[in-house]
Amino acid sequence: IIARIYRNLGLQRELVFSQESDLGSETQLMPPEIPHFDLSTKMVSALGFGMVEVSSYGPGIEQEVKNKLRDLCHEGIAVVYLNLPIGDPRTAVLCQRFEELGFFFSGIQPRPDGKDLLCLQYLNGPHIDYDLLQIYSDFGKELVEYIREQDPLT
């Protein structure tokens, strides 16, 4: 779906698909020479959403995302977005782990510098009635259907 989104936007990106086996052991996934991760959090209480953005991975990133999710949900945030560096091969593996926490695909965020983001979302209570959405384009309809299929609450 990511390749189709890029094509639909008229953007050319080289896509390489990784699996955990491609990265080898846990040590190779988070090598000790990368001592820290870089993560930021924003919360907009008035709109009921929070955003966690990972700029780089390092040991402890999974637990930190889990902690941020818990904190935002405890604050009553209805939707938590998780943005991951799409160009990092570890994103494919870690995305699966974040999906186990209840995050699911919501799109991509292309950036002029090419450091695009994979965007996931977590719904803390609200149920989306996808049938109420009015989508103009055929591709938009396909995209909404794909997201609906990923939504653990449907």
Side-chain angles (χ1 to χ4, degrees):
I1 194 73
I2 293 170
R4 294 191 65 222
I5 292 171
Y6 279 127
R7 276 195 305 274
N8 189 274
L9 293 172
L11 296 174
Q12 297 211 353
R13 300 288 195 269
E14 180 183 350
L15 298 179
V16 179
F17 300 94
S18 299
Q19 296 180 354
E20 194 157 4
S21 59
D22 297 337
L23 297 171
S25 69
E26 188 73 23
T27 305
Q28 288 173 304
L29 182 61
M30 294 297 169
E33 65 269 11
I34 303 175
H36 303 287
F37 52 81
D38 188 13
L39 172 144
S40 63
T41 306
K42 297 177 189 174
M43 181 171 68
V44 183
S45 300
L47 298 177
F49 79 86
M51 184 178 311
V52 178
E53 187 166 310
V54 176
S55 298
S56 62
Y57 297 113
I61 188 66
E62 291 176 68
Q63 186 60 49
E64 186 64 15
V65 168
K66 188 175 184 177
N67 293 345
K68 297 294 185 188
L69 175 62
R70 182 197 63 231
D71 293 346
L72 290 166
C73 289
H74 181 72
E75 291 290 327
I77 296 300
V79 180
V80 178
Y81 296 100
L82 175 61
N83 296 331
L84 306 172
I86 203 168
D88 189 317
R90 294 170 290 187
T91 292
V93 174
L94 291 166
C95 179
Q96 292 174 358
R97 295 181 186 177
F98 296 138
E99 286 173 340
E100 292 170 7
L101 297 175
F103 285 98
F104 63 101
F105 181 84
S106 66
I108 61 170
Q109 183 181 6
R111 291 187 164 172
D113 62 4
K115 295 182 180 184
D116 302 345
L117 298 173
L118 171 64
C119 306
L120 305 179
Q121 60 191 339
Y122 178 94
L123 302 179
N124 183 28
H127 173 75
I128 306 298
D129 187 346
Y130 293 93
D131 294 328
L132 294 178
L133 299 176
Q134 295 184 14
I135 309 301
Y136 172 73
S137 73
D138 289 338
F139 180 70
K141 291 174 185 174
E142 290 176 40
L143 188 56
V144 167
E145 189 56 36
Y146 178 82
I147 293 169
R148 178 198 307 235
E149 290 169 3
Q150 305 305 307
D151 185 343
L153 300 178
T154 57

